[in-house]
Amino acid sequence: FFSSRRRHTRSLCDWSSDVCSSDLIVGFYLPRGPQDIHRLLALYCSLTAIMLSGTFIDFLGLRPDWPIIGTRTLNMEWLRYSSDYVVNLVAGFYRSPDVMGWHAGATSLLALILATVNQGSRRYRWIAISIFASGALMLCGRRKMFYQLPIFLILLGLIYWQAGRKNQVFSLIMLLIVPALGVWVFGDWIGNNSTVINYYTDNASPAVDQLQGQGWSNVLETVRQAGFWGDGLGVAAPGSQNLAVARPRVWQESGPSRLMVELGVPGFIAMLALIISLLRAAWAQVQQHLKLQDPMGLYGTGLFCFFLANLGSLTASGQILADPFISTFLGLSLGMSLSLARYSQRYSSATYLRDR
């Protein structure tokens, strides 16, 4: 299953990398136009909003006898210890607070994308869903999920500004304060003395230190431990410790250090170059379509910022990629952002044939 330091072979535990790569290709060829992306995002946000209702049921203790609420059925209780209090993390209908927090954050951001491309009553519906999801996000007790919101907002405003649509940045900012409004309303509802509120406010500065420590600083330590060639593909995959096979005793929390221990220095450099090239291509495409005021560009820009926000979170911790749906959705989001190039070619060909 696992390779030695001199011979790298593919492991069954590393299937998520293949899935993410194939989903990127599927996302590239999936949308035929803006309506396809709209239907996909609308379906996901609508279903997830229903699922997130379990978060508030769990938090308020409305149905303690329901086995599908919380993680007690799994004989798990998620706690976060701070200096002088304990935070009870909430999962709702999901199997863990991490998974619930990711879906809450994703719904909040993707509903904002739908709000930017809709008008009238439909826009208010997506704004309401974004506020609702932002409230559920606070209960997950995971800062890495919570900080995706400001990263998304900053990147979206930056891309609009660079695309020359400065007149729309202010109106965009007014719309994008929706998650902040949801956090403020929910925080006022549960009270400023709540352990959840205290957890986010008391631990704001250590989060930056944790990002640096769990991110790139661990890469150097991983090289020191695993060597130049690493320990082989699959050794750091979540769940691989449950296999009855000989394997190195490694545990890499951050995404970069996990890549380093599995791929080694040469593979890490190659993967980093691939990621940078994909991000540069997507950045160029969304800029081009925003300048043309193409509706497809609005979806592509939002999905690209959504992927970048998750990429920042994965720098601190990459364990969430063990969930197949999440890894699939992230691959699709980047693939659909890159599909703007295919959409441009088809649009140009249709315009040429029509003019002839």
Side-chain angles (χ1 to χ4, degrees):
F1 287 89
F2 301 104
S3 65
S4 65
R5 294 189 178 185
R6 295 182 178 179
R7 186 183 61 183
H8 286 193
T9 58
R10 182 74 63 177
S11 73
L12 294 178
C13 292
D14 202 51
W15 65 272
S16 59
S17 299
D18 294 328
V19 171
C20 189
S21 301
S22 61
D23 288 328
L24 191 149
I25 298 175
V26 172
F28 183 83
Y29 287 102
L30 177 65
R32 295 167 296 178
Q35 67 280 358
D36 291 335
I37 300 180
H38 187 280
R39 282 194 291 264
L40 176 62
L41 299 186
L43 177 63
Y44 171 76
C45 291
S46 299
L47 294 178
T48 308
I50 298 174
M51 290 289 293
L52 290 176
S53 63
T55 304
F56 296 97
I57 296 175
D58 190 9
F59 175 73
L60 298 174
L62 299 180
R63 291 292 184 269
D65 55 328
W66 283 10
I68 59 175
I69 293 293
T71 58
R72 290 178 295 275
T73 303
L74 303 176
N75 295 322
M76 292 288 294
E77 186 174 2
W78 297 81
L79 302 174
R80 173 73 65 177
Y81 291 92
S82 188
S83 57
D84 53 355
Y85 55 87
V86 178
V87 182
N88 291 303
L89 309 185
V90 179
F93 288 126
Y94 294 91
R95 61 181 175 86
S96 72
D98 268 21
V99 177
M100 186 279 290
W102 187 90
H103 284 283
T107 302
S108 179
L109 299 181
L110 297 177
L112 280 180
I113 298 175
L114 294 173
T116 60
V117 298
N118 282 275
Q119 302 292 333
S121 59
R122 292 184 177 181
R123 167 175 289 186
Y124 296 119
R125 179 179 64 183
W126 299 120
I127 289 177
I129 289 179
S130 181
I131 294 175
F132 178 76
S134 299
L137 176 60
M138 290 192 64
L139 295 177
C140 75
R142 304 295 287 171
R143 290 190 299 267
K144 62 185 178 182
M145 307 299 179
F146 187 80
Y147 291 156
Q148 291 181 16
L149 297 180
I151 295 175
F152 175 85
L153 304 183
I154 292 172
L155 289 172
L156 197 60
L158 178 62
I159 291 178
Y160 269 76
W161 184 273
Q162 289 191 349
R165 303 182 65 170
K166 300 178 178 63
N167 57 335
Q168 296 185 1
V169 172
F170 178 76
S171 59
L172 187 65
I173 292 176
M174 296 302 296
L175 181 63
L176 296 180
I177 62 174
V178 168
L181 177 63
V183 170
W184 179 80
V185 170
F186 183 73
D188 184 69
W189 173 55
I190 65 177
N192 293 328
N193 294 325
S194 170
T195 56
V196 177
I197 301 298
N198 292 335
Y199 173 72
Y200 286 109
T201 57
D202 295 348
N203 294 275
S205 56
V208 179
D209 300 333
Q210 181 184 13
L211 180 62
Q212 181 179 1
Q214 292 291 340
W216 299 104
S217 297
N218 278 359
V219 173
L220 299 178
E221 180 63 22
T222 300
V223 175
R224 189 189 68 82
Q225 293 178 355
F228 184 80
W229 299 108
D231 283 325
L233 293 172
V235 295
S240 61
Q241 71 276 7
N242 298 320
L243 294 177
V245 294
R247 62 183 296 274
R249 295 178 60 86
V250 298
W251 178 262
Q252 268 59 33
E253 178 72 15
S254 67
S257 61
R258 177 185 170 185
L259 288 176
M260 180 61 74
V261 76
E262 293 194 2
L263 302 178
V265 175
F268 181 84
I269 295 176
M271 179 62 70
L272 191 62
L274 174 61
I275 293 175
I276 292 175
S277 64
L278 290 175
L279 295 183
R280 289 185 60 186
W283 188 284
Q285 287 300 320
V286 298
Q287 289 275 337
Q288 176 185 353
H289 281 260
L290 282 179
K291 292 177 181 179
L292 296 175
Q293 298 185 354
D294 181 8
M296 190 72 170
L298 300 177
Y299 292 101
T301 303
L303 287 171
F304 181 56
C305 292
F306 168 75
F307 178 82
L308 289 178
N310 277 272
L311 194 63
S313 175
L314 293 173
T315 302
S317 176
Q319 305 305 317
I320 195 64
L321 287 180
D323 188 290
F325 178 87
I326 293 176
S327 59
T328 297
F329 201 93
L330 290 178
L332 288 175
S333 64
L334 180 58
M336 286 188 287
S337 299
L338 293 169
S339 70
L340 295 180
R342 185 176 60 86
Y343 183 78
S344 297
Q345 294 176 356
R346 190 176 63 179
Y347 179 78
S348 299
S349 300
T351 303
Y352 173 76
L353 292 175
R354 185 181 68 248
D355 293 340
R356 290 188 63 185

